[in-house]
Amino acid sequence: MHNVLTPTRARLAAILCCACAATFIAASPAAAAFPDKAIKIVVPFAPGGGTDLIARTMGITMGKELGQPVIIDNKPGAGTIIGTEAVAKSAPDGYTLVMATVAHVVNPSLQPKLPYNYEKGFAPVILVGISPNVLVVRADSPYKSVADLIAAAKANPGKISFASQGSGTSAHLAGELFKNLTKTDMTHIPYRGAGPAMTDLLGGQVDVMFATAAAVGNFVESGKLRALAVTTATRSPSPSLAKVPTIAESGVPGYVADSWYGLYAPAGTPADVIARLNSAARKSIQTDAFKKRVESEGLVINAGSPEDFDKYAKGEEARWRKVVKENHITTD
């Protein structure tokens, strides 16, 4: 009889059980507020290039907004496919992201069998910004202008080499589009990132390079590289590139090849987590610290919604698919 609960005791027991359950749920990792640990941004290039610079600069300011460290993980190779695949197969919890570039939307038209589903494998977070690629040569190069390069390429088919940070990247496409519109033949040398490509360009192993403004800005300012032209439709707002002509105005009408950077999460990441990441990224790229570091490199900052980024990326995929098909561009 002493073990029988009275109505009052039963109610108290129920209250205590609910309180204990609430305490357990609140302490449960599954119910913890996002984020409660470090976030990783995969950069599908080697350290030292433009994408790496953008990601690391953003990681510092974004980490402050989120209250958790943001770690940069370089996974270069296969024209960004290795790093991108790793993110596609990660848990959709917001803790693993990829800093994508135009290669993300071009690879589907260049690679017949990707190890992930481009359309269904990712959730857009934010378009960080857009910048030009820059056609650069060493300071001691005989090429002083785009016209000089075109003349030399026509006189020596296949003998002039151009470097890029990897097959299918914006720099690779910029070079291939240049070849097709100028009716020249240059040899593409792909690297596992802008850093290694820059090393060989400076060392004389390759002749020219189409590189992101973020990757070459300091070298142009220091006089180690000469910028012949930018790949955008208009001149760059960057002080170091403002006087550099566009390829279009240098005798190649209709030439445009933008570079851009954007964050993706794995598909299935909860909408509230995406919103939190977008908000933190928006605030981080609008800080003075971020602007000071990247705007001088020619990056025009974007701070839109995931939907804005998705619309932009789909437009880029369609545009480059057409260019790849019409110009017979391959990764070979």
Side-chain angles (χ1 to χ4, degrees), residues 249-289:
E249 69 180 283
S250 299
V252 191
Y255 184 100
V256 178
D258 296 334
S259 180
W260 53 264
Y261 309 90
L263 280 180
Y264 281 96
T269 302
D272 60 332
V273 171
I274 293 291
R276 178 78 177 95
L277 290 168
N278 176 271
S279 175
R282 262 201 340 266
K283 292 176 181 177
S284 74
I285 62 180
Q286 291 175 329
T287 59
D288 290 339

PDB file of all heavy atoms in Angstrom, residues 249-289:
ATOM      1  N   GLU A 249      38.169  45.032 -75.645  1.00  0.00           N
ATOM      2  CA  GLU A 249      38.627  46.294 -76.235  1.00  0.00           C
ATOM      3  C   GLU A 249      40.050  46.190 -76.783  1.00  0.00           C
ATOM      4  O   GLU A 249      40.524  47.121 -77.438  1.00  0.00           O
ATOM      5  CB  GLU A 249      38.541  47.432 -75.222  1.00  0.00           C
ATOM      6  CG  GLU A 249      39.513  47.352 -74.067  1.00  0.00           C
ATOM      7  CD  GLU A 249      39.389  48.517 -73.095  1.00  0.00           C
ATOM      8  OE1 GLU A 249      39.875  49.616 -73.420  1.00  0.00           O
ATOM      9  OE2 GLU A 249      38.804  48.320 -72.011  1.00  0.00           O
ATOM     10  N   SER A 250      40.690  45.034 -76.512  1.00  0.00           N
ATOM     11  CA  SER A 250      42.053  44.823 -77.011  1.00  0.00           C
ATOM     12  C   SER A 250      42.066  44.090 -78.342  1.00  0.00           C
ATOM     13  O   SER A 250      43.111  43.581 -78.768  1.00  0.00           O
ATOM     14  CB  SER A 250      42.864  44.035 -75.981  1.00  0.00           C
ATOM     15  OG  SER A 250      42.954  44.731 -74.756  1.00  0.00           O
ATOM     16  N   GLY A 251      40.906  44.013 -78.982  1.00  0.00           N
ATOM     17  CA  GLY A 251      40.845  43.405 -80.306  1.00  0.00           C
ATOM     18  C   GLY A 251      40.137  42.078 -80.395  1.00  0.00           C
ATOM     19  O   GLY A 251      40.193  41.398 -81.429  1.00  0.00           O
ATOM     20  N   VAL A 252      39.427  41.680 -79.291  1.00  0.00           N
ATOM     21  CA  VAL A 252      38.678  40.421 -79.305  1.00  0.00           C
ATOM     22  C   VAL A 252      37.227  40.741 -78.915  1.00  0.00           C
ATOM     23  O   VAL A 252      36.815  40.500 -77.773  1.00  0.00           O
ATOM     24  CB  VAL A 252      39.285  39.384 -78.341  1.00  0.00           C
ATOM     25  CG1 VAL A 252      38.643  38.009 -78.573  1.00  0.00           C
ATOM     26  CG2 VAL A 252      40.793  39.296 -78.489  1.00  0.00           C
ATOM     27  N   PRO A 253      36.451  41.305 -79.827  1.00  0.00           N
ATOM     28  CA  PRO A 253      35.090  41.726 -79.489  1.00  0.00           C
ATOM     29  C   PRO A 253      34.204  40.576 -79.017  1.00  0.00           C
ATOM     30  O   PRO A 253      34.299  39.450 -79.509  1.00  0.00           O
ATOM     31  CB  PRO A 253      34.568  42.315 -80.814  1.00  0.00           C
ATOM     32  CG  PRO A 253      35.439  41.717 -81.872  1.00  0.00           C
ATOM     33  CD  PRO A 253      36.776  41.551 -81.236  1.00  0.00           C
ATOM     34  N   GLY A 254      33.355  40.866 -78.013  1.00  0.00           N
ATOM     35  CA  GLY A 254      32.430  39.863 -77.492  1.00  0.00           C
ATOM     36  C   GLY A 254      33.003  38.966 -76.429  1.00  0.00           C
ATOM     37  O   GLY A 254      32.309  38.108 -75.877  1.00  0.00           O
ATOM     38  N   TYR A 255      34.274  39.160 -76.086  1.00  0.00           N
ATOM     39  CA  TYR A 255      34.920  38.297 -75.103  1.00  0.00           C
ATOM     40  C   TYR A 255      34.508  38.689 -73.681  1.00  0.00           C
ATOM     41  O   TYR A 255      34.691  39.828 -73.262  1.00  0.00           O
ATOM     42  CB  TYR A 255      36.439  38.387 -75.233  1.00  0.00           C
ATOM     43  CG  TYR A 255      37.181  37.434 -74.308  1.00  0.00           C
ATOM     44  CD1 TYR A 255      37.686  36.237 -74.786  1.00  0.00           C
ATOM     45  CD2 TYR A 255      37.334  37.724 -72.955  1.00  0.00           C
ATOM     46  CE1 TYR A 255      38.354  35.355 -73.948  1.00  0.00           C
ATOM     47  CE2 TYR A 255      37.986  36.849 -72.105  1.00  0.00           C
ATOM     48  CZ  TYR A 255      38.491  35.669 -72.610  1.00  0.00           C
ATOM     49  OH  TYR A 255      39.126  34.794 -71.774  1.00  0.00           O
ATOM     50  N   VAL A 256      33.976  37.711 -72.906  1.00  0.00           N
ATOM     51  CA  VAL A 256      33.630  37.906 -71.495  1.00  0.00           C
ATOM     52  C   VAL A 256      33.811  36.569 -70.769  1.00  0.00           C
ATOM     53  O   VAL A 256      33.298  35.541 -71.219  1.00  0.00           O
ATOM     54  CB  VAL A 256      32.171  38.375 -71.284  1.00  0.00           C
ATOM     55  CG1 VAL A 256      31.882  38.515 -69.791  1.00  0.00           C
ATOM     56  CG2 VAL A 256      31.910  39.694 -71.980  1.00  0.00           C
ATOM     57  N   ALA A 257      34.534  36.573 -69.647  1.00  0.00           N
ATOM     58  CA  ALA A 257      34.726  35.348 -68.847  1.00  0.00           C
ATOM     59  C   ALA A 257      34.915  35.742 -67.381  1.00  0.00           C
ATOM     60  O   ALA A 257      36.042  35.922 -66.921  1.00  0.00           O
ATOM     61  CB  ALA A 257      35.926  34.548 -69.358  1.00  0.00           C
ATOM     62  N   ASP A 258      33.808  35.897 -66.677  1.00  0.00           N
ATOM     63  CA  ASP A 258      33.852  36.290 -65.271  1.00  0.00           C
ATOM     64  C   ASP A 258      34.313  35.140 -64.377  1.00  0.00           C
ATOM     65  O   ASP A 258      34.193  33.965 -64.715  1.00  0.00           O
ATOM     66  CB  ASP A 258      32.463  36.723 -64.779  1.00  0.00           C
ATOM     67  CG  ASP A 258      31.961  37.967 -65.480  1.00  0.00           C
ATOM     68  OD1 ASP A 258      32.797  38.750 -65.948  1.00  0.00           O
ATOM     69  OD2 ASP A 258      30.732  38.159 -65.554  1.00  0.00           O
ATOM     70  N   SER A 259      34.812  35.505 -63.199  1.00  0.00           N
ATOM     71  CA  SER A 259      35.126  34.544 -62.148  1.00  0.00           C
ATOM     72  C   SER A 259      34.245  34.868 -60.959  1.00  0.00           C
ATOM     73  O   SER A 259      33.903  36.034 -60.739  1.00  0.00           O
ATOM     74  CB  SER A 259      36.602  34.662 -61.751  1.00  0.00           C
ATOM     75  OG  SER A 259      36.936  33.743 -60.728  1.00  0.00           O
ATOM     76  N   TRP A 260      33.822  33.850 -60.206  1.00  0.00           N
ATOM     77  CA  TRP A 260      32.990  34.117 -59.032  1.00  0.00           C
ATOM     78  C   TRP A 260      33.238  33.074 -57.941  1.00  0.00           C
ATOM     79  O   TRP A 260      33.830  32.022 -58.184  1.00  0.00           O
ATOM     80  CB  TRP A 260      31.503  34.172 -59.386  1.00  0.00           C
ATOM     81  CG  TRP A 260      30.937  32.988 -60.135  1.00  0.00           C
ATOM     82  CD1 TRP A 260      30.765  32.886 -61.479  1.00  0.00           C
ATOM     83  CD2 TRP A 260      30.441  31.751 -59.578  1.00  0.00           C
ATOM     84  NE1 TRP A 260      30.209  31.663 -61.799  1.00  0.00           N
ATOM     85  CE2 TRP A 260      29.995  30.945 -60.658  1.00  0.00           C
ATOM     86  CE3 TRP A 260      30.336  31.248 -58.280  1.00  0.00           C
ATOM     87  CZ2 TRP A 260      29.451  29.672 -60.466  1.00  0.00           C
ATOM     88  CZ3 TRP A 260      29.809  29.976 -58.082  1.00  0.00           C
ATOM     89  CH2 TRP A 260      29.361  29.206 -59.182  1.00  0.00           C
ATOM     90  N   TYR A 261      32.766  33.404 -56.738  1.00  0.00           N
ATOM     91  CA  TYR A 261      32.937  32.544 -55.566  1.00  0.00           C
ATOM     92  C   TYR A 261      31.604  32.441 -54.829  1.00  0.00           C
ATOM     93  O   TYR A 261      30.925  33.455 -54.629  1.00  0.00           O
ATOM     94  CB  TYR A 261      33.982  33.130 -54.609  1.00  0.00           C
ATOM     95  CG  TYR A 261      35.290  33.488 -55.275  1.00  0.00           C
ATOM     96  CD1 TYR A 261      35.478  34.762 -55.819  1.00  0.00           C
ATOM     97  CD2 TYR A 261      36.331  32.567 -55.376  1.00  0.00           C
ATOM     98  CE1 TYR A 261      36.674  35.096 -56.443  1.00  0.00           C
ATOM     99  CE2 TYR A 261      37.525  32.901 -55.998  1.00  0.00           C
ATOM    100  CZ  TYR A 261      37.691  34.168 -56.534  1.00  0.00           C
ATOM    101  OH  TYR A 261      38.867  34.501 -57.155  1.00  0.00           O
ATOM    102  N   GLY A 262      31.236  31.217 -54.440  1.00  0.00           N
ATOM    103  CA  GLY A 262      29.981  31.037 -53.722  1.00  0.00           C
ATOM    104  C   GLY A 262      30.024  29.826 -52.810  1.00  0.00           C
ATOM    105  O   GLY A 262      30.719  28.845 -53.087  1.00  0.00           O
ATOM    106  N   LEU A 263      29.274  29.894 -51.714  1.00  0.00           N
ATOM    107  CA  LEU A 263      29.230  28.794 -50.745  1.00  0.00           C
ATOM    108  C   LEU A 263      28.035  27.883 -50.995  1.00  0.00           C
ATOM    109  O   LEU A 263      26.912  28.353 -51.207  1.00  0.00           O
ATOM    110  CB  LEU A 263      29.120  29.342 -49.322  1.00  0.00           C
ATOM    111  CG  LEU A 263      30.387  29.841 -48.627  1.00  0.00           C
ATOM    112  CD1 LEU A 263      30.031  30.329 -47.224  1.00  0.00           C
ATOM    113  CD2 LEU A 263      31.452  28.757 -48.554  1.00  0.00           C
ATOM    114  N   TYR A 264      28.306  26.570 -50.953  1.00  0.00           N
ATOM    115  CA  TYR A 264      27.258  25.555 -51.018  1.00  0.00           C
ATOM    116  C   TYR A 264      27.366  24.649 -49.796  1.00  0.00           C
ATOM    117  O   TYR A 264      28.466  24.406 -49.287  1.00  0.00           O
ATOM    118  CB  TYR A 264      27.408  24.676 -52.258  1.00  0.00           C
ATOM    119  CG  TYR A 264      26.924  25.271 -53.553  1.00  0.00           C
ATOM    120  CD1 TYR A 264      27.810  25.901 -54.424  1.00  0.00           C
ATOM    121  CD2 TYR A 264      25.581  25.183 -53.930  1.00  0.00           C
ATOM    122  CE1 TYR A 264      27.386  26.425 -55.632  1.00  0.00           C
ATOM    123  CE2 TYR A 264      25.146  25.706 -55.139  1.00  0.00           C
ATOM    124  CZ  TYR A 264      26.045  26.331 -55.987  1.00  0.00           C
ATOM    125  OH  TYR A 264      25.612  26.858 -57.170  1.00  0.00           O
ATOM    126  N   ALA A 265      26.220  24.114 -49.373  1.00  0.00           N
ATOM    127  CA  ALA A 265      26.159  23.072 -48.349  1.00  0.00           C
ATOM    128  C   ALA A 265      25.627  21.811 -49.029  1.00  0.00           C
ATOM    129  O   ALA A 265      25.086  21.877 -50.133  1.00  0.00           O
ATOM    130  CB  ALA A 265      25.232  23.498 -47.213  1.00  0.00           C
ATOM    131  N   PRO A 266      25.761  20.649 -48.399  1.00  0.00           N
ATOM    132  CA  PRO A 266      25.165  19.440 -48.991  1.00  0.00           C
ATOM    133  C   PRO A 266      23.645  19.569 -49.054  1.00  0.00           C
ATOM    134  O   PRO A 266      23.028  20.227 -48.202  1.00  0.00           O
ATOM    135  CB  PRO A 266      25.576  18.341 -48.002  1.00  0.00           C
ATOM    136  CG  PRO A 266      26.766  18.877 -47.286  1.00  0.00           C
ATOM    137  CD  PRO A 266      26.524  20.350 -47.181  1.00  0.00           C
ATOM    138  N   ALA A 267      23.054  18.952 -50.057  1.00  0.00           N
ATOM    139  CA  ALA A 267      21.593  18.954 -50.180  1.00  0.00           C
ATOM    140  C   ALA A 267      20.985  18.320 -48.933  1.00  0.00           C
ATOM    141  O   ALA A 267      21.527  17.375 -48.370  1.00  0.00           O
ATOM    142  CB  ALA A 267      21.170  18.169 -51.418  1.00  0.00           C
ATOM    143  N   GLY A 268      19.853  18.848 -48.510  1.00  0.00           N
ATOM    144  CA  GLY A 268      19.191  18.313 -47.329  1.00  0.00           C
ATOM    145  C   GLY A 268      19.526  19.058 -46.056  1.00  0.00           C
ATOM    146  O   GLY A 268      18.961  18.772 -44.995  1.00  0.00           O
ATOM    147  N   THR A 269      20.438  20.014 -46.135  1.00  0.00           N
ATOM    148  CA  THR A 269      20.753  20.833 -44.965  1.00  0.00           C
ATOM    149  C   THR A 269      19.504  21.622 -44.574  1.00  0.00           C
ATOM    150  O   THR A 269      18.876  22.237 -45.427  1.00  0.00           O
ATOM    151  CB  THR A 269      21.916  21.801 -45.270  1.00  0.00           C
ATOM    152  OG1 THR A 269      23.069  21.050 -45.677  1.00  0.00           O
ATOM    153  CG2 THR A 269      22.269  22.636 -44.056  1.00  0.00           C
ATOM    154  N   PRO A 270      19.107  21.603 -43.298  1.00  0.00           N
ATOM    155  CA  PRO A 270      17.875  22.286 -42.870  1.00  0.00           C
ATOM    156  C   PRO A 270      17.836  23.761 -43.270  1.00  0.00           C
ATOM    157  O   PRO A 270      18.851  24.446 -43.258  1.00  0.00           O
ATOM    158  CB  PRO A 270      17.910  22.133 -41.347  1.00  0.00           C
ATOM    159  CG  PRO A 270      18.711  20.897 -41.123  1.00  0.00           C
ATOM    160  CD  PRO A 270      19.774  20.911 -42.185  1.00  0.00           C
ATOM    161  N   ALA A 271      16.642  24.229 -43.613  1.00  0.00           N
ATOM    162  CA  ALA A 271      16.465  25.606 -44.081  1.00  0.00           C
ATOM    163  C   ALA A 271      16.913  26.630 -43.039  1.00  0.00           C
ATOM    164  O   ALA A 271      17.491  27.667 -43.392  1.00  0.00           O
ATOM    165  CB  ALA A 271      15.006  25.842 -44.452  1.00  0.00           C
ATOM    166  N   ASP A 272      16.668  26.341 -41.761  1.00  0.00           N
ATOM    167  CA  ASP A 272      17.053  27.310 -40.734  1.00  0.00           C
ATOM    168  C   ASP A 272      18.574  27.391 -40.598  1.00  0.00           C
ATOM    169  O   ASP A 272      19.124  28.456 -40.296  1.00  0.00           O
ATOM    170  CB  ASP A 272      16.397  26.972 -39.389  1.00  0.00           C
ATOM    171  CG  ASP A 272      16.777  25.591 -38.865  1.00  0.00           C
ATOM    172  OD1 ASP A 272      17.083  24.700 -39.686  1.00  0.00           O
ATOM    173  OD2 ASP A 272      16.750  25.392 -37.633  1.00  0.00           O
ATOM    174  N   VAL A 273      19.266  26.280 -40.853  1.00  0.00           N
ATOM    175  CA  VAL A 273      20.728  26.277 -40.810  1.00  0.00           C
ATOM    176  C   VAL A 273      21.282  27.063 -41.997  1.00  0.00           C
ATOM    177  O   VAL A 273      22.219  27.856 -41.864  1.00  0.00           O
ATOM    178  CB  VAL A 273      21.277  24.833 -40.811  1.00  0.00           C
ATOM    179  CG1 VAL A 273      22.797  24.828 -40.983  1.00  0.00           C
ATOM    180  CG2 VAL A 273      20.889  24.130 -39.518  1.00  0.00           C
ATOM    181  N   ILE A 274      20.697  26.849 -43.184  1.00  0.00           N
ATOM    182  CA  ILE A 274      21.092  27.607 -44.373  1.00  0.00           C
ATOM    183  C   ILE A 274      20.902  29.105 -44.121  1.00  0.00           C
ATOM    184  O   ILE A 274      21.768  29.929 -44.458  1.00  0.00           O
ATOM    185  CB  ILE A 274      20.275  27.180 -45.608  1.00  0.00           C
ATOM    186  CG1 ILE A 274      20.608  25.737 -46.009  1.00  0.00           C
ATOM    187  CG2 ILE A 274      20.537  28.125 -46.784  1.00  0.00           C
ATOM    188  CD1 ILE A 274      21.984  25.524 -46.562  1.00  0.00           C
ATOM    189  N   ALA A 275      19.771  29.468 -43.528  1.00  0.00           N
ATOM    190  CA  ALA A 275      19.481  30.871 -43.238  1.00  0.00           C
ATOM    191  C   ALA A 275      20.515  31.464 -42.281  1.00  0.00           C
ATOM    192  O   ALA A 275      20.947  32.609 -42.442  1.00  0.00           O
ATOM    193  CB  ALA A 275      18.076  31.006 -42.652  1.00  0.00           C
ATOM    194  N   ARG A 276      20.908  30.669 -41.280  1.00  0.00           N
ATOM    195  CA  ARG A 276      21.905  31.131 -40.304  1.00  0.00           C
ATOM    196  C   ARG A 276      23.257  31.335 -40.992  1.00  0.00           C
ATOM    197  O   ARG A 276      23.954  32.320 -40.736  1.00  0.00           O
ATOM    198  CB  ARG A 276      22.045  30.104 -39.177  1.00  0.00           C
ATOM    199  CG  ARG A 276      23.081  30.457 -38.122  1.00  0.00           C
ATOM    200  CD  ARG A 276      22.563  31.488 -37.157  1.00  0.00           C
ATOM    201  NE  ARG A 276      23.528  31.771 -36.103  1.00  0.00           N
ATOM    202  CZ  ARG A 276      24.416  32.777 -36.131  1.00  0.00           C
ATOM    203  NH1 ARG A 276      24.427  33.607 -37.167  1.00  0.00           N
ATOM    204  NH2 ARG A 276      25.248  32.975 -35.134  1.00  0.00           N
ATOM    205  N   LEU A 277      23.645  30.411 -41.839  1.00  0.00           N
ATOM    206  CA  LEU A 277      24.901  30.526 -42.559  1.00  0.00           C
ATOM    207  C   LEU A 277      24.883  31.712 -43.520  1.00  0.00           C
ATOM    208  O   LEU A 277      25.863  32.458 -43.632  1.00  0.00           O
ATOM    209  CB  LEU A 277      25.184  29.237 -43.337  1.00  0.00           C
ATOM    210  CG  LEU A 277      25.529  27.999 -42.501  1.00  0.00           C
ATOM    211  CD1 LEU A 277      25.494  26.742 -43.372  1.00  0.00           C
ATOM    212  CD2 LEU A 277      26.912  28.154 -41.854  1.00  0.00           C
ATOM    213  N   ASN A 278      23.773  31.891 -44.216  1.00  0.00           N
ATOM    214  CA  ASN A 278      23.649  33.016 -45.148  1.00  0.00           C
ATOM    215  C   ASN A 278      23.761  34.344 -44.420  1.00  0.00           C
ATOM    216  O   ASN A 278      24.454  35.264 -44.865  1.00  0.00           O
ATOM    217  CB  ASN A 278      22.321  32.930 -45.898  1.00  0.00           C
ATOM    218  CG  ASN A 278      22.078  34.128 -46.811  1.00  0.00           C
ATOM    219  OD1 ASN A 278      21.516  35.131 -46.395  1.00  0.00           O
ATOM    220  ND2 ASN A 278      22.512  34.018 -48.049  1.00  0.00           N
ATOM    221  N   SER A 279      23.097  34.444 -43.266  1.00  0.00           N
ATOM    222  CA  SER A 279      23.128  35.677 -42.490  1.00  0.00           C
ATOM    223  C   SER A 279      24.549  35.995 -42.021  1.00  0.00           C
ATOM    224  O   SER A 279      25.023  37.135 -42.130  1.00  0.00           O
ATOM    225  CB  SER A 279      22.198  35.552 -41.283  1.00  0.00           C
ATOM    226  OG  SER A 279      22.290  36.696 -40.451  1.00  0.00           O
ATOM    227  N   ALA A 280      25.239  34.978 -41.510  1.00  0.00           N
ATOM    228  CA  ALA A 280      26.605  35.171 -41.023  1.00  0.00           C
ATOM    229  C   ALA A 280      27.549  35.530 -42.163  1.00  0.00           C
ATOM    230  O   ALA A 280      28.427  36.400 -42.021  1.00  0.00           O
ATOM    231  CB  ALA A 280      27.092  33.910 -40.320  1.00  0.00           C
ATOM    232  N   ALA A 281      27.372  34.865 -43.312  1.00  0.00           N
ATOM    233  CA  ALA A 281      28.223  35.146 -44.466  1.00  0.00           C
ATOM    234  C   ALA A 281      27.977  36.556 -44.991  1.00  0.00           C
ATOM    235  O   ALA A 281      28.922  37.280 -45.336  1.00  0.00           O
ATOM    236  CB  ALA A 281      27.956  34.119 -45.567  1.00  0.00           C
ATOM    237  N   ARG A 282      26.717  36.955 -45.053  1.00  0.00           N
ATOM    238  CA  ARG A 282      26.363  38.303 -45.521  1.00  0.00           C
ATOM    239  C   ARG A 282      27.034  39.366 -44.664  1.00  0.00           C
ATOM    240  O   ARG A 282      27.611  40.337 -45.171  1.00  0.00           O
ATOM    241  CB  ARG A 282      24.844  38.506 -45.467  1.00  0.00           C
ATOM    242  CG  ARG A 282      24.159  38.304 -46.791  1.00  0.00           C
ATOM    243  CD  ARG A 282      22.802  38.951 -46.891  1.00  0.00           C
ATOM    244  NE  ARG A 282      22.140  39.270 -45.654  1.00  0.00           N
ATOM    245  CZ  ARG A 282      21.267  38.498 -45.036  1.00  0.00           C
ATOM    246  NH1 ARG A 282      21.008  37.301 -45.517  1.00  0.00           N
ATOM    247  NH2 ARG A 282      20.672  38.894 -43.930  1.00  0.00           N
ATOM    248  N   LYS A 283      26.950  39.176 -43.352  1.00  0.00           N
ATOM    249  CA  LYS A 283      27.550  40.151 -42.438  1.00  0.00           C
ATOM    250  C   LYS A 283      29.072  40.144 -42.543  1.00  0.00           C
ATOM    251  O   LYS A 283      29.715  41.197 -42.505  1.00  0.00           O
ATOM    252  CB  LYS A 283      27.122  39.845 -41.012  1.00  0.00           C
ATOM    253  CG  LYS A 283      25.637  40.097 -40.750  1.00  0.00           C
ATOM    254  CD  LYS A 283      25.242  39.685 -39.330  1.00  0.00           C
ATOM    255  CE  LYS A 283      23.757  39.907 -39.086  1.00  0.00           C
ATOM    256  NZ  LYS A 283      23.340  39.446 -37.726  1.00  0.00           N
ATOM    257  N   SER A 284      29.649  38.953 -42.703  1.00  0.00           N
ATOM    258  CA  SER A 284      31.112  38.851 -42.729  1.00  0.00           C
ATOM    259  C   SER A 284      31.716  39.500 -43.969  1.00  0.00           C
ATOM    260  O   SER A 284      32.763  40.149 -43.886  1.00  0.00           O
ATOM    261  CB  SER A 284      31.542  37.387 -42.629  1.00  0.00           C
ATOM    262  OG  SER A 284      31.310  36.695 -43.835  1.00  0.00           O
ATOM    263  N   ILE A 285      31.070  39.337 -45.128  1.00  0.00           N
ATOM    264  CA  ILE A 285      31.650  39.899 -46.353  1.00  0.00           C
ATOM    265  C   ILE A 285      31.390  41.395 -46.487  1.00  0.00           C
ATOM    266  O   ILE A 285      31.910  42.043 -47.394  1.00  0.00           O
ATOM    267  CB  ILE A 285      31.146  39.155 -47.612  1.00  0.00           C
ATOM    268  CG1 ILE A 285      29.629  39.289 -47.777  1.00  0.00           C
ATOM    269  CG2 ILE A 285      31.564  37.696 -47.563  1.00  0.00           C
ATOM    270  CD1 ILE A 285      29.091  38.574 -49.013  1.00  0.00           C
ATOM    271  N   GLN A 286      30.592  41.942 -45.576  1.00  0.00           N
ATOM    272  CA  GLN A 286      30.354  43.379 -45.580  1.00  0.00           C
ATOM    273  C   GLN A 286      31.161  44.095 -44.504  1.00  0.00           C
ATOM    274  O   GLN A 286      31.039  45.302 -44.328  1.00  0.00           O
ATOM    275  CB  GLN A 286      28.857  43.660 -45.396  1.00  0.00           C
ATOM    276  CG  GLN A 286      28.033  43.226 -46.608  1.00  0.00           C
ATOM    277  CD  GLN A 286      26.538  43.398 -46.397  1.00  0.00           C
ATOM    278  OE1 GLN A 286      26.041  43.286 -45.283  1.00  0.00           O
ATOM    279  NE2 GLN A 286      25.820  43.672 -47.473  1.00  0.00           N
ATOM    280  N   THR A 287      32.008  43.344 -43.790  1.00  0.00           N
ATOM    281  CA  THR A 287      32.859  43.977 -42.787  1.00  0.00           C
ATOM    282  C   THR A 287      33.995  44.727 -43.478  1.00  0.00           C
ATOM    283  O   THR A 287      34.404  44.395 -44.596  1.00  0.00           O
ATOM    284  CB  THR A 287      33.468  42.932 -41.829  1.00  0.00           C
ATOM    285  OG1 THR A 287      34.254  41.994 -42.604  1.00  0.00           O
ATOM    286  CG2 THR A 287      32.385  42.189 -41.056  1.00  0.00           C
ATOM    287  N   ASP A 288      34.507  45.743 -42.815  1.00  0.00           N
ATOM    288  CA  ASP A 288      35.621  46.512 -43.371  1.00  0.00           C
ATOM    289  C   ASP A 288      36.845  45.623 -43.580  1.00  0.00           C
ATOM    290  O   ASP A 288      37.593  45.800 -44.550  1.00  0.00           O
ATOM    291  CB  ASP A 288      35.974  47.678 -42.444  1.00  0.00           C
ATOM    292  CG  ASP A 288      34.899  48.759 -42.432  1.00  0.00           C
ATOM    293  OD1 ASP A 288      34.111  48.820 -43.394  1.00  0.00           O
ATOM    294  OD2 ASP A 288      34.849  49.540 -41.459  1.00  0.00           O
ATOM    295  N   ALA A 289      37.046  44.686 -42.657  1.00  0.00           N
ATOM    296  CA  ALA A 289      38.203  43.795 -42.758  1.00  0.00           C
ATOM    297  C   ALA A 289      38.166  42.981 -44.045  1.00  0.00           C
ATOM    298  O   ALA A 289      39.190  42.842 -44.736  1.00  0.00           O
ATOM    299  CB  ALA A 289      38.247  42.867 -41.546  1.00  0.00           C
TER     300      ALA A 289
END
